[in-house]
Amino acid sequence: MDWSIQDIARLSGTTSRTLRHYDDIGLLKPSRVGTNGYRYYDEDALATLQRILLLRELGLGLPAIADVLAVPTRHADALRSHLDWLRNEKERLDRQIGAVEKTITGMEGGEQLMAEDMLDGFDHTQYKEEVEERWGKDAYARSDSWWRSLTAKDKAEWQAAQRALAADWTSAAESGIDPASDEAQALAQRHFEWLRGIPGTPGGGTTGPTKEYFTGLGEMYVADARFGANYGGRHGAEFVRDAMSEYAKRHL
Amino acid sequence: MDWSIQDIARLSGTTSRTLRHYDDIGLLKPSRVGTNGYRYYDEDALATLQRILLLRELGLGLPAIADVLAVPTRHADALRSHLDWLRNEKERLDRQIGAVEKTITGMEGGEQLMAEDMLDGFDHTQYKEEVEERWGKDAYARSDSWWRSLTAKDKAEWQAAQRALAADWTSAAESGIDPASDEAQALAQRHFEWLRGIPGTPGGGTTGPTKEYFTGLGEMYVADARFGANYGGRHGAEFVRDAMSEYAKRHL
DNA sequence: CTTGACATTGACGCTGCGTCAACCTCTAGC
DNA sequence: GCTAGAGGTTGACGCAGCGTCAATGTCAAG
């Protein structure tokens, strides 16, 4: 006993187009094909289809589903790795929701935060609370007014420099070199110079950050995952911290 | 003063390809195009680009961003509606995570739940706990053994009937008709017949569900969002509840 | 024989670019 | 003035998962 494509579509709650697609990509072949080219599906095919639709509802991609169908024992593994990715997605959404809420309340706080100001909210003062808590409101205010005084281009350049530095730190950390090596110390030097360019950093301005601030910053990169993420996660952050600490010991 | 496409890409942390894409779709035109066809961007363009990238990071689509750029005042509105959709997505993910976890633990519970059994886990016994709590383990066991006795086709048909009923309920609720109207009562009738087909429902089998069970079921659709979701959310669930309640009053 | 429901095989569309490919253009060094 | 190399241009395909025509064949019922 078997049924037409439309029957199966209705029984399973999907569409004939989807079934044809699954046939095209080899995910689910009809159990029989008439001389007229009509597709027919039997009970086994229906059961397989149900599994496919279930897995799809769980969010798996069609290639992943094909893998699962091919090797039944990998079923749980596939679901577990998929679970990881789902959790990541959820975290990402959480962060995005927070960011959007922040942006909205920021806008409602008056002063019609537009373009440039919105950038502030994201790139610079993203960690307002942390900065204030650790180094005082004063430092934050100074840093903030400096930032606001920049032109769009200056800001973009500063951000680009930050990104470039972070990228170099990350690849250095991944290469497995010693935090005390010349390359790492050169990066620490760049990091130092970069900080010197920001008024409001304790000891900042022309003389550059103090020893305490510099080493403390390194610790913070490790302690706070949000900062560490810029340097390739925990491992990267630890590398940066060690290199900065070594640099501070030698030069500050 | 303006800069080349590569300069802008670096300054803003994106790629030249992206900039060309934005030009193609009219999202961000270069401020100037050289006789050689080279694209050049000035500070204004850079600022606009920054806004675009920010909104994109918040998860807005490019057409939505274009709208925002066109009408500055709609900025907050756009973000708010986007926030809604983000929250929905998060809820969806939460449900999916729960479902996957359930499926995995179900599989690890031994008995290698495959195809059909997994279907059970989803469509029928999805609410095992609730059913047991409200109407006793007995009812659940009876219902469960009935379900397991069905063939794949029978199950699929039953599910299809459920889906069709739910869809009709949903559209009826959305059409704004009265729960006491003939159409709604006809649906309640179908719902009643449908339940009668399931042994294990209190009073089920040939006589059909009892008055208490029938009205209680309606209440549950409202009380538990997971049930109500089948009928188009809270509003739909309330409509179903009212219609079922009215039906029970008249016929049971 | 006609009508209508249902089947088939293409093929484009959608999102946001990455990634060639094939071919100019500009700058710097000789 | 020539050449190498970096950077620019315009296509165009690819990806995920089908929805949605379009053009056409098939089958059961009247």
Side-chain angles (χ1 to χ4, degrees), chain A residues 71-86:
Chain A
V71 188
T73 57
R74 300 190 35 161
H75 213 129
D77 287 347
L79 282 180
R80 245 185 294 276
S81 72
H82 179 57
L83 190 54
D84 287 346
W85 129 266
L86 277 177

Side-chain angles (χ1 to χ4, degrees), chain A residues 56-242:
Chain A
R56 202 191 51 177
E57 230 173 77
L58 296 180
L60 274 81
L62 300 190
I65 294 178
D67 288 350
V68 173
L69 292 182
V71 188
T73 57
R74 300 190 35 161
H75 213 129
D77 287 347
L79 282 180
R80 245 185 294 276
S81 72
H82 179 57
L83 190 54
D84 287 346
W85 129 266
L86 277 177
R87 292 208 174 105
N88 276 333
E89 275 297 292
K90 191 194 159 187
E91 271 188 43
R92 202 177 56 76
L93 272 182
D94 269 337
R95 279 197 302 273
Q96 224 172 56
I97 287 174
V100 174
E101 282 173 341
K102 214 164 178 174
T103 306
I104 291 179
T105 59
M107 291 175 66
E108 285 175 338
E111 308 156 22
Q112 54 159 356
L113 290 174
M114 294 312 288
E116 297 192 35
D117 296 296
M118 291 182 63
L119 278 178
D120 296 4
F122 265 74
D123 297 301
H124 171 65
T125 69
Q126 185 169 13
Y127 304 121
K128 184 171 191 271
E129 288 80 5
E130 283 77 5
V131 172
E132 283 186 353
E133 191 180 324
R134 284 164 202 264
W135 293 288
K137 290 209 171 201
D138 226 38
Y140 176 77
R142 258 176 299 156
S143 163
D144 192 52
S145 73
W146 159 78
W147 174 254
R148 287 181 189 280
S149 73
L150 299 181
T151 67
K153 193 199 167 195
D154 288 338
K155 288 181 183 178
E157 279 175 349
W158 186 84
Q159 287 166 24
Q162 182 192 27
R163 260 194 303 270
L165 184 55
D168 291 346
W169 270 124
T170 304
S171 59
E174 282 171 354
S175 73
I177 64 174
D178 191 332
S181 67
D182 288 354
E183 293 97 319
Q185 289 302 301
L187 280 175
Q189 170 80 31
R190 271 176 62 196
H191 206 107
F192 179 83
E193 296 296 344
W194 172 66
L195 285 170
R196 182 149 67 176
I198 312 172
T201 60
T206 34
T207 60
T210 64
K211 181 171 183 175
E212 289 68 33
Y213 180 80
F214 200 64
T215 54
L217 203 59
E219 293 295 344
M220 194 175 69
Y221 291 161
V222 173
D224 193 322
R226 288 171 303 173
F227 289 89
N230 294 325
Y231 305 104
R234 181 167 194 82
H235 173 67
E238 287 172 352
F239 178 85
V240 174
R241 178 198 58 185
D242 294 344

Side-chain angles (χ1 to χ4, degrees), chain A residues 34-67:
Chain A
T35 54
N36 49 16
Y38 281 28
R39 294 170 175 82
Y40 297 95
Y41 299 82
D42 59 15
E43 291 225 5
D44 283 351
L46 177 55
T48 305
L49 176 58
Q50 304 277 25
R51 288 183 62 195
I52 291 173
L53 295 178
L54 166 64
L55 293 173
R56 202 191 51 177
E57 230 173 77
L58 296 180
L60 274 81
L62 300 190
I65 294 178
D67 288 350

